[in-house]
Amino acid sequence: QVQLVESGGGLVQPGGSLRLSCAASGSIFSIYRMGWYRQAPGKQRELVAVITTGSTINYAESVKGRFTISRDAAKNTVYLQMNNLKPEDTAVYYCNAASPYGSSWGQGTQVTVSS
């Protein structure tokens, strides 16, 4: 079983930046992909960015050029650097870890972009 702990959310003005962190523990040896999803009020959860253990990366079209996902294998941590934030980025952001045994989710961290 994998446990995920997220941090780094908050309130930021449009055009600002935030960095989210997600630390994994437990059965981390089985993880082959980690990433970030988000869910805005009244909307379905959607993929933001994912990175595999082979460093293959995928981004949602809406965040390309503004968000960067990275990982520190030694710390079992994945980061999401979010720049030029827009009000439509407001959502609860969830960390996800995928393994052959299933999918694990963090508790979520709120990101609010507002002036």
Side-chain angles (χ1 to χ4, degrees):
Q1 196 170 10
V2 175
Q3 293 78 45
L4 302 172
V5 178
E6 302 133 333
S7 61
L11 172 64
V12 64
Q13 293 185 342
S17 298
L18 284 174
R19 189 175 84 152
L20 306 182
S21 300
C22 174
S25 62
S27 302
I28 57 174
F29 63 91
S30 62
I31 297 173
Y32 62 81
R33 187 184 67 236
M34 290 185 69
W36 294 93
Y37 292 71
R38 67 186 180 187
Q39 188 167 17
K43 295 188 177 181
Q44 289 189 332
R45 191 172 298 188
E46 63 177 2
L47 180 147
V48 177
V50 292
I51 183 168
T52 69
T53 52
S55 296
T56 298
I57 292 174
N58 284 303
Y59 293 104
E61 285 295 326
S62 60
V63 307
K64 282 184 179 178
R66 300 188 298 121
F67 292 10
T68 302
I69 190 170
S70 62
R71 68 185 184 101
D72 185 331
K75 295 182 179 180
N76 303 314
T77 299
V78 171
Y79 305 97
L80 185 68
Q81 177 66 43
M82 306 185 292
N83 298 327
N84 190 21
L85 282 159
K86 303 176 180 181
E88 52 264 41
D89 295 317
T90 295
V92 178
Y93 284 69
Y94 296 91
C95 181
N96 173 268
S99 77
Y101 308 106
S103 187
S104 299
W105 293 93
Q107 79 281 2
T109 185
Q110 177 71 45
V111 171
T112 302
V113 185
S114 175
S115 55

